[in-house]
């Protein structure tokens, strides 16, 4: 039996035996009462790592983002982000449905922040004629941009811009861990200057479930109310938080291996390795869906994110042999 090489996403990882053991042994309590010691420890640990006052454990990155942006943007106001941002493109209109938030977007190459475009786009205090901008969202690394690490000078410029116009700033840091390992900047540096930040434990870190939203103690207290209101108050969720804590200790530095493998995949398949910042490879294929189907017949799974856009993602469950297999199968197809 050949095992399947699954490069569709880094969300497909399964908890390792050691992670499962940590979950089984977790000390738990009722987290809606604030009594789950493992959840409390995870929230404090992530808040500290990111240099924010407090954290909130949530079931998904989408909920982390949605709670974060609703704290910063009142109904009838707008959030500004790039047109491929996860919050705009992949959260199914949640900000509109739940929070009455509208969006305007700039077009970004590979997801990289365009400070000039943002400056032109924002409309703070627009009065009774136009929608007023309330906040800017930054995604780091950028998913649909191909795992792009945001250039630090541009992030600083956007923070300056937001400050000078009194705008809120949300960081969608689903893969901030990858940005940290790739850039050498600390998580604290990467999350500094943002009012709210959300990070995923269920992507490259390999935990089965969960994200953490960080911000000030006051905002997190508000987010806790909204989390319950949305029906996402969990009880003995320490069993899940334990997987996250295990991942923070054991699975952050190893992301460098995923990055190395992604670069190897890119060179072998004729993509420009300079476009591979982290664990994703984007390939331009004449017919992406045909490549997906033909690779699947040979037990290699990749994603088509557009008619010509293939995405390959390396992760914990893809080793060097799996990369060799993927190259053998994909090279003749792309
Ligand atoms: C995966 C992801 C999220 C959140 O996803 P969930 O599937 O809701 O956990 C948010 N932002 C980005 C950039 C992502 O890649």
């Amino acid at each position: 039996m050949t095992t399947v090489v699954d490069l569709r996403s880094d969300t497909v990882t399964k908890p390792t035996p050691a992670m499962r053991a940590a979950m089984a042994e977790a000390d738990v309590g009722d987290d809606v009462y604030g009594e789950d010691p493992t959840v409390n420890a995870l929230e404090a640990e992530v808040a500290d790592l990111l240099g924010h006052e407090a954290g909130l454990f949530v079931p998904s990155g989408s909920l982390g983002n949605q709670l974060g942006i609703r704290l910063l943007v009142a109904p009838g106001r707008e959030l500004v982000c790039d047109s491929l941002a996860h919050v705009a493109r992949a959260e199914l209109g949640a900000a509109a449905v739940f929070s009455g938030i509208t969006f305007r977007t700039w077009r970004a190459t590979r997801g990289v922040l365009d400070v000039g475009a943002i400056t032109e786009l924002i409309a703070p205090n627009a009065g009774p004629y136009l929608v007023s901008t309330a906040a800017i969202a930054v995604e780091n690394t950028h998913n649909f941009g191909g795992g792009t690490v945001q250039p630090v000078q541009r992030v600083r410029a956007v923070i300056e811009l937001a400050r000078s116009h009194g705008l809120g700033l949300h960081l969608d840091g689903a893969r901030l861990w990858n940005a940290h390992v790739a850039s050498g900047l600390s998580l604290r540096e990467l999350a500094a200057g943002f009012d709210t930040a959300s990070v995923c434990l269920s992507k490259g870190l390999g935990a089965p479930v969960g994200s953490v939203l960080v911000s000030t103690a006051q905002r997190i207290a508000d987010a806790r109310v909204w989390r319950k209101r949305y029906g996402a108050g969990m009880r003995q969720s320490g069993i899940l938080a334990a997987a996250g804590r295990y991942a923070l200790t054991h699975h952050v530095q190893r992301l460098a291996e995923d990055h190395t493998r992604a670069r190897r995949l890119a060179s072998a398949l004729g993509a420009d390795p300079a476009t591979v910042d982290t664990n994703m490879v984007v390939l331009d294929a004449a017919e992406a869906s045909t490549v997906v189907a033909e690779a699947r017949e040979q037990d290699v799974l990749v994603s088509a994110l557009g008619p010509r856009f293939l995405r390959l993602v390396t992760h914990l469950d893809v080793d060097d042999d799996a990369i060799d297999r993927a190259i053998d199968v994909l090279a003749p197809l792309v």
Side-chain angles (χ1 to χ4, degrees):
M1 191 190 88
T2 54
T3 48
V4 171
V5 179
D6 195 343
L7 298 168
R8 289 172 302 168
S9 173
D10 47 10
T11 55
V12 301
T13 56
K14 296 185 180 160
T16 62
M19 182 181 275
R20 284 177 187 262
M23 296 171 75
E25 285 156 19
D27 198 1
V28 298
D30 189 327
D31 180 54
V32 172
Y33 292 163
E35 291 173 2
D36 189 302
T38 309
V39 172
N40 293 342
L42 174 70
E43 291 175 345
E45 188 176 350
V46 175
D48 183 55
L49 278 173
L50 270 62
H52 284 247
E53 272 174 23
L56 184 70
F57 185 49
V58 291
S60 71
S62 297
L63 186 58
N65 281 336
Q66 291 305 319
L67 292 174
I69 64 187
R70 82 160 297 132
L71 296 174
L72 304 178
V73 186
R77 301 202 164 223
E78 73 187 9
L79 178 75
V80 162
C81 62
D82 77 273
S83 65
L84 296 180
H86 197 279
V87 288
R89 196 185 181 206
E91 296 182 13
L92 311 186
V97 173
F98 297 137
S99 312
I101 293 170
T102 65
F103 283 78
R104 274 184 314 130
T105 57
W106 72 88
R107 284 177 74 93
T109 307
R110 296 185 58 237
V112 176
L113 285 169
D114 179 340
V115 185
I118 303 170
T119 308
E120 277 182 34
L121 201 56
I122 55 171
N125 307 314
Y129 305 108
L130 300 172
V131 180
S132 292
T133 310
I136 302 169
V138 173
E139 192 171 310
N140 198 10
T141 65
H142 200 290
N143 180 352
F144 297 122
T148 317
V149 178
Q150 298 293 352
V152 65
Q153 297 307 339
R154 295 196 186 190
V155 176
R156 290 198 182 124
V158 173
I159 292 170
E160 275 298 300
L161 182 70
R163 288 292 156 263
S164 65
H165 291 92
L167 300 177
L169 264 179
H170 175 70
L171 173 62
D172 179 354
R175 295 185 182 80
L176 199 66
W177 323 102
N178 298 81
H180 157 60
V181 168
S183 68
L185 293 169
S186 69
L187 290 160
R188 197 170 269 255
E189 287 169 286
L190 290 166
F194 289 92
D195 299 301
T196 52
S198 171
V199 288
C200 290
L201 303 163
S202 56
K203 306 273 169 88
L205 294 199
V209 175
S211 286
V212 179
L213 175 72
V214 301
S215 187
T216 60
Q218 178 59 54
R219 284 204 196 92
I220 291 299
D222 291 346
R224 201 173 287 280
V225 173
W226 280 101
R227 182 185 66 171
K228 185 69 166 63
R229 191 170 281 136
Y230 285 170
M234 299 180 287
R235 302 295 179 172
Q236 286 72 28
S237 38
I239 226 157
L240 301 173
R245 296 198 74 202
Y246 179 89
L248 289 176
T249 307
H250 299 280
H251 293 172
V252 176
Q253 293 312 320
R254 67 151 303 286
L255 292 170
E257 296 172 30
D258 297 345
H259 300 174
T260 303
R261 291 188 179 116
R263 279 194 299 275
R264 186 154 77 83
L265 204 49
S267 336
L269 297 176
D272 179 359
T275 64
V276 180
D277 287 353
T278 55
N279 67 330
M280 296 189 187
V281 179
V282 169
L283 295 174
D284 185 32
E287 280 195 49
S289 58
T290 309
V291 177
V292 170
E294 289 179 3
R296 180 178 278 274
E297 298 212 334
Q298 298 173 74
D299 289 328
V300 173
L301 308 184
V302 299
S303 294
L305 295 184
R308 300 182 55 98
F309 178 3
L310 284 174
R311 190 188 68 172
L312 284 51
V313 187
T314 56
H315 53 75
L316 191 59
D317 293 353
V318 174
D319 60 13
D320 285 323
D321 290 345
I323 295 292
D324 290 338
R325 275 260 312 288
I327 291 170
D328 286 347
V329 168
L330 292 168
L333 302 177
V334 298

